[in-house]
Amino acid sequence: MAVTIKDIANALRISPSTVSRALNDHPNISEETKKVVSEKAKEMKYQTNFIAAGLRTKKSNSIGILVPHITSSFFASAIDGIQKVVSDNGYFTIICQSNEDYHNEIDQIRSLLSCKVEGVILSLSSKTNEYDHLEMLEAYDTPFVFFDRIAPGFDMPTVEANDFTGGFQAVEHLIKRGRKRIAHLGGPGLLGISKSRYEGYMEALKTYDYEINEDYVVFTDPDKDHGEIIEKMFADPKKGPDALFTFSDELAVEAILKLKSMGLNVPRDVSVVGFGNSNLCEIVEPHLTSVTHEPIEMGEAAADLLFKVIHNKHIPPHLKNRKFDSRVIIRDSSR
């Protein structure tokens, strides 16, 4: 059976109310008593009943996190950063994923609201292009922070990477490596970060007076097989692209494997640059050059902003919309 506050009180021969106050850091309880109660609670493996505590205090002490994919290296790292800040504030997290599905995103938000979370850190699915469901959060007075993927028209804090700069830097790197025909395998066309990375790609080509070939650009769903697209794009080794910048590391790895199967050498025949600097970069051969944007720090920033909103603290305008710089991590796939 689970250990209760009454069990701890009986073991220490003090009242349950004293134990409760000590565990909740009440100012009327001495530091010595708090220490004794805390040590006994750990010894007896006591765990706080957050639901019961929430019923008493009218607070759930919980933060919702909703991301497209928990298994994504970027979002997994970001969640690490979020959870550190959440834990430091005495809260816990409820983590959900939309699986890049708009309707699932709506259901997950409803679930988080039913759990009476005190705030939500939200990254939209790639299929989301209507935002009425986000008004549910406002209707329930539940503050939220946009993370990485942003919806227009909401006056809420945002944390995102500078995807435009990342795209520009990736293509600039390929240009400086002497590549002449640079293709782009983009993400979903509706997704804001896809557009920003593409715009960075285009701006780099314009800046360096490169010819723009629309056949070299394809927007696609990252969850689908892209073998046919890559094969078609690189069918003619002499006239086709000699470099590829992809929306994600996952797409870049898929491209490298496909190019190898076509008899092309990476990077001699085709240089490849991904986006995300995930663990995949060091696994694939050759090791993948990629754009990074510090997901752990971004997660910490999102949680910090959310707690400022929850506690009605003033957020200076220059901190309300955080944008993290990107940089290229150069490895063998583009040397």
Side-chain angles (χ1 to χ4, degrees):
M1 292 180 63
V3 175
T4 66
I5 284 177
K6 189 174 181 180
D7 294 329
I8 298 172
N10 289 337
L12 293 174
R13 301 188 179 220
I14 58 178
S15 69
S17 61
T18 299
V19 173
S20 177
R21 291 191 183 105
L23 291 173
N24 287 285
D25 199 25
H26 195 284
N28 291 345
I29 303 298
S30 70
E31 292 303 318
E32 181 180 354
T33 300
K34 290 177 185 176
K35 182 180 179 182
V36 170
V37 171
S38 177
E39 289 176 351
K40 180 57 71 173
K42 289 179 182 177
E43 177 190 323
M44 298 178 69
K45 295 182 171 56
Y46 169 75
Q47 291 184 327
T48 302
N49 186 329
F50 290 105
I51 296 174
L55 290 173
R56 291 194 303 271
T57 64
K58 307 299 183 183
K59 294 175 63 178
S60 69
N61 276 58
S62 63
I63 298 298
I65 303 173
L66 177 54
V67 296
H69 286 295
I70 294 171
T71 54
S72 156
S73 177
F74 171 75
F75 287 115
S77 296
I79 288 170
D80 281 347
I82 293 169
Q83 287 191 310
K84 179 183 181 300
V85 175
V86 169
S87 178
D88 288 347
N89 280 270
Y91 281 59
F92 68 100
T93 55
I94 300 175
I95 304 171
C96 303
Q97 62 179 358
S98 66
N99 287 311
E100 299 286 14
D101 183 87
Y102 167 70
H103 298 289
N104 193 22
E105 182 174 283
I106 295 173
D107 291 340
Q108 297 300 331
I109 287 177
R110 286 176 175 152
S111 296
L112 290 172
L113 288 172
S114 71
C115 293
K116 300 189 183 301
V117 295
E118 294 185 45
V120 175
I121 294 173
L122 170 65
S123 188
L124 299 174
S125 84
S126 60
K127 306 294 193 304
T128 300
N129 60 357
E130 297 180 4
Y131 311 107
D132 291 350
H133 59 298
L134 302 184
E135 294 176 4
M136 287 191 291
L137 294 167
E138 294 183 328
Y140 280 82
D141 292 324
T142 303
F144 59 98
V145 170
F146 286 115
F147 179 80
D148 188 55
R149 303 181 183 185
I150 314 302
F154 289 87
D155 186 27
M156 298 303 296
T158 62
V159 174
E160 56 186 323
N162 196 328
D163 291 288
F164 173 87
T165 300
F168 183 97
Q169 291 171 339
V171 177
E172 182 179 53
H173 163 70
L174 291 167
I175 290 171
K176 290 183 176 181
R177 286 293 184 274
R179 296 303 176 174
K180 302 298 183 184
R181 303 180 303 278
I182 303 171
H184 178 49
L185 187 56
L190 292 174
L191 197 58
I193 58 176
S194 295
K195 295 175 183 177
S196 294
R197 293 171 194 179
Y198 164 72
E199 288 166 359
Y201 160 86
M202 292 292 288
E203 186 62 27
L205 296 181
K206 292 174 184 176
T207 298
Y208 287 89
D209 293 322
Y210 268 50
E211 180 182 354
I212 295 172
N213 187 334
E214 293 183 2
D215 292 336
Y216 289 174
V217 177
V218 178
F219 290 97
T220 184
D221 186 337
D223 292 332
K224 293 184 178 178
D225 186 300
H226 306 93
E228 289 186 11
I229 295 172
I230 296 165
E231 187 170 5
K232 181 179 179 182
M233 188 178 283
F234 293 91
D236 187 342
K238 293 183 178 180
K239 296 182 180 179
D242 60 4
L244 176 65
F245 164 52
T246 65
F247 168 76
S248 68
D249 289 341
E250 289 81 4
L251 283 175
V253 170
E254 187 178 352
I256 288 173
L257 296 176
K258 183 62 180 179
L259 290 168
K260 283 182 176 181
S261 74
M262 295 169 63
L264 296 171
N265 179 279
V266 177
R268 188 188 64 222
D269 299 319
V270 182
S271 291
V272 179
V273 177
F275 206 110
N277 197 37
S278 68
N279 296 334
L280 292 172
C281 296
E282 298 286 354
I283 297 172
V284 69
E285 287 290 343
H287 292 347
L288 177 64
T289 295
S290 185
V291 180
T292 185
H293 48 211
E294 314 303 342
I296 293 176
E297 289 80 357
M298 288 176 65
E300 291 174 349
D304 282 332
L305 280 171
L306 183 60
F307 279 111
K308 283 183 171 62
V309 178
I310 289 172
H311 299 310
N312 295 313
K313 292 183 178 180
H314 173 67
I315 303 175
H318 70 283
L319 293 179
K320 187 173 182 180
N321 303 108
R322 296 286 307 276
K323 188 165 282 195
F324 283 72
D325 290 335
S326 301
R327 59 192 174 92
V328 179
I329 306 297
I330 300 171
R331 298 187 180 92
D332 293 339
S333 70
S334 66
R335 292 191 191 279

